Amino acid sequence: MGLLSDPSLTPRGKFGRTLAKHSGKISLFFYIAGLAWFVCLSHPEFSHGTYLSENALSPGLVDPEIGQDSLRLAQSLYEELQRERTEHKSTTPHAWIAAKMHQIGLETHVHNFTLRYPFSAGKEYHGKNVYGILRAPRVSSTEGVVYAAPYRAVNSVHVDITASVPILLAFADFARKKNYWAKDLVFLVTEQEQLGMHAWLEAYHEGGIRDSPILRCGNLPARAGALQAALNLEVQDLDIDYIDVKIEGLNGQLPNLDMFNLVQRLTSRSSLSSGYKHSPRKKRRSHRGSLEDNLRHMLEMLKIQATGVPNGNHGLFHRYRIESLTLEAVKRTTNTNNNNRYGSGLSLLKTIEGISRSLNNLLERFHQSYFFYILVQNDRFVSIGDYMPCLIALASPMFIKAFLLWLTTTATTDETVSEDDSVPSHDEEKPPIQLPYISVVLFMVSALLLGFLCNTLPFSQHVRDYFTSMGVSTEMSVGLILGVQVLLGTLLPLFYTLPEHGLELLHIGVLIFMGVTLIVTGLLNFALGFILAVIISPLTILLNNEHSKGFRQNLTRLYTFLLNPIVIIYLLILWLTLFEFPELSFAELGMRALKASLDAITFGLMDSIIYGNWLYTAIAAIYFPLWILLWTLSLGRQNLITQLEKKTN
Amino acid sequence: MDKSLLLLVALGGVTRYYLQNFHWIGERVEVSTPINSFKRVQEGVYLYENGIDPYLGDVVHELPVILVLLVRIFNSISNFVPLLYVLIDLMTATLLYKMAQQFVRSKLTEQKFESSEYAVGTEELQVQATDMNVVPRCVILAYLFNPLSLLSCAGLTSTVFSNFLIALTLYFLVKRHLLPCIVCLALETMRNLYPIVLIAPVILVFTQRSKNTFTSSISILALFASACFAITGFNYALINSWSFLDATLGFIFFYRDLQPNIGLFWYFFTEMFEHFRTMFLITFQMNATVLYLVPLSLKLRKEPLLLATVLIALMSIFRSYPSVGDVSFYLALLPLWRRCWKFMAHNFVVFCFFVVTLSMMPALWQLWIYSGSANANFYFGTTLAFSTGQIFLVTDLLFAHVKRDFCLRNGLKVYVDGKEAKIILE
């Protein structure tokens, strides 16, 4: 009961005030603890071995039936497709794919979609997906599983993955002859990378009812019930070195761990070596990986998750609660095992068969295993309970410091006088401090309004049309809109001088705001939250309410300036360009990076408009206002100091 | 009301009207519950217009009087319905302002009589002349620009009407107009059941000056009961069926809709075994109504308005379908107790609780419902934390009041043997 009914009449702030003096050290401690915890996670003791929770999957029961004939079919289809590709340099051989599907006996349909590019006066792009449905003989079409293969045209800049289509068709041919399917199988060949997949999924689930004016997907002529799972194939060649499983989806979502484990289990059973993040592991569970390796894997995973851009077509399924992942079969480059050239192709087919039959056993949606995890190795993971503490450790000093600041600012002045002799004595007669709540709240609201503008102006059709009619290119117009906003944000603290004690109160408000946004972002997308926490948290340590020394103040200002979203993007891209084109002169590099960063921002915007990626929204609507407030804090010292000087003079 | 205040009200109105463009607000479970959502009102209006008894289904839970009134409004000025919600909300704010003014005025006069009992050096705790201006301003600001009340109005919830009716009740209470006060309270009770507890402060206020407290309280109770019956009868006359009773009061009491909200009922009743339902239903409803009523009424019999504040707060925490609109209403009443704030030790913690839990709710809802990666426990965790924060606030307010009362009479610092004394509850 003591918690609710503190018996003392005057609030006891002594302890708090002593702590407040060391708030910087406390924050530093938590920061280091959070990072150390994260590094510890890469130690084998902190990660668990993967296992299957969903018994219905029963991967061990599958006895592979797919044989050499299927592989031979795949080979002949592959050769046929290669011949087709000589005639279709930049398009997909839809007719050939549809004919093959029809020949196999699938219910084949073509899906058309149109993208009206939201910028530059609406250029239109057309695309076609081909899909065939194998109706389950055992039930009416209530549930379905998707097997997808993206098709890349000859002139595509990405890695050639032509072999995925023959593998898909060969498996379809095998599946057609079986009668045990309890879920419809959908074989889908998409084009235009993720756009095709997105359009197909949108058409499947929305049916053209909520077509956006930007991506018109229309309706599908046939469906296969509620989709339970999806497997995306990116096969580089029929001769495979190892399989890399890609899981990171839209906005950092992940498939259920059971799905991942299933794939791992089956690849190892069919004697394919399975890698992780492009480092093949020849032996399963032979060793637990070195610390650096594990850490590198974790960071790589977080890096992909943080951008929110899926690293394969599977990522778009997550939006509709469909568990999915991509099997990336990497081509063999060394010619060590020439006699058994296509043996690994058969193993891949066996794996696909195993996965499909396990998924066929599913009784309900995937729900048993983890949805939040970080993979350390292809068979080890860190669960949410283990990794969340590092984010908590990074975000909690903000609340602690806010509380301590609150204690010191609301404490009556006469006590601070007794502790600090340098304060002029006329403070003693002052009544308790009146904190300027309203002006601080107004300031925060105006910063948020700027963020809101950043988030609405580039999305508005009128603004875009206006800029196109002025003849300004897309990247420039987006850059212009955001540049003006950022300039306004940077200048905001100069227009708006906060009243006395306003900065202290703003500091408290900013700390709470920062903590809350980091926690919420971390819940939605741990990677993004964690990375932001790592770069923002040092400010909690640096920002100090007391009269700080010149160096520290300048450091704070510099660091805050570097944290500006646009500056961060520019510096990141400059860094990347430096590695990409080391031969360029510095001025050229700068220009190229500038152009690239404008492109990057436009891409972020496009991702947000077309796919529903949150990264742009989160940065523009929340982190940009947060930056304005932090900038005010790091600058605002000066206003107060000049005020003090005026007073003393 | 002076010019700046009118400007504030106008600004509040414009903000509300602008926010109404965001239709998703009305679809959030935190804002709309089965009894206050606008969609259900629309459905009720449609059913009524087509001559179907709206209460036979499980959708409409609005009182026939209000429904018929809304049908009229929908027919005549259908385009201005959102504006109507804004106007009513602004009227609520103005009523609260007037109520606060009257309250401070009466406190000041009351203090004049008692000032001889006060200890020296407690001016800080006494109501001062400046409060005449500051407190009502704080109240109206807290109602106009509280994000929660903005959301509630932008979502076009019927909580706007509830808040208006309760504000009217409180206004008439401090103005000491018995009949309108009772009628408003009865109407709100018939709509939402829980405001029945507010009869306690009403009785306390109106029996303060009477000689025979017992008979006058009985007569007030009788008046209240007859007002309730009259409203019921009137409703019956409107639609010629008793079905509305079960659809409004019955629906609230029996908790038929398990849709998640910011309260504590939904998770518990989803998880519970069916054969315990009756028992826990009664327990939960007692907790929301009578459990705290008697002890608080005894303790706070001299401060009926504090009793009303605390009861409204407890009601919004423990009711079966709470929404953020209810929370915003009692938060707006807190500035009335400005002189107790000195002793509120947890205000910062409670504030953090509110901010963190309210921002986590949409995130966890997204993870649970759309991504399918989290589950109901995550969301319930935040609603539980939110309720806990509110309880902290209410207890803190009560303790602050007790401490203020003590210090007012014994001085701010009590020394025993040269050491600062502590009050221990025993």
Side-chain angles (χ1 to χ4, degrees), chain B residues 339-359:
Chain B
R339 294 295 154 190
C340 298
W341 284 1
K342 186 180 157 55
F343 297 109
M344 291 184 69
H346 302 302
N347 41 14
F348 187 76
V349 179
V350 169
F351 175 73
C352 285
F353 249 98
F354 271 52
V355 173
V356 173
T357 51
L358 282 172
S359 3

Side-chain angles (χ1 to χ4, degrees), chain A residues 174-208:
Chain A
F174 164 78
R176 173 75 188 81
K177 293 166 194 152
K178 299 296 169 195
N179 64 352
Y180 45 63
W181 300 115
K183 294 176 174 59
D184 285 3
L185 305 187
V186 182
F187 299 96
L188 169 67
V189 179
T190 60
E191 64 173 11
Q192 314 240 8
E193 300 300 318
Q194 296 182 4
L195 190 65
M197 183 53 94
H198 180 71
W200 189 82
L201 278 170
E202 196 103 309
Y204 193 95
H205 289 98
E206 316 282 0

Side-chain angles (χ1 to χ4, degrees), chain B residues 190-234:
Chain B
M190 290 308 293
R191 288 186 69 228
N192 271 337
L193 179 68
Y194 297 102
I196 198 170
V197 293
L198 289 182
I199 194 67
V202 171
I203 290 176
L204 285 177
V205 166
F206 288 108
T207 55
Q208 252 170 11
R209 291 178 197 164
S210 66
K211 281 166 200 153
N212 194 338
T213 325
F214 185 71
T215 41
S216 46
S217 34
I218 289 294
S219 53
I220 289 174
L221 266 181
L223 191 63
F224 178 68
S226 47
C228 286
F229 280 121
I231 289 168
T232 318
F234 184 61

Side-chain angles (χ1 to χ4, degrees), chain B residues 71-101:
Chain B
V71 169
R72 294 283 147 77
I73 293 166
F74 266 88
N75 281 339
S76 47
I77 47 160
S78 58
N79 291 335
F80 297 102
V81 170
L83 214 56
L84 176 83
Y85 279 78
V86 174
L87 276 180
I88 290 180
D89 222 24
L90 295 184
M91 267 151 72
T92 311
T94 323
L95 275 174
L96 286 177
Y97 177 79
K98 296 268 177 205
M99 188 270 290
Q101 254 180 345

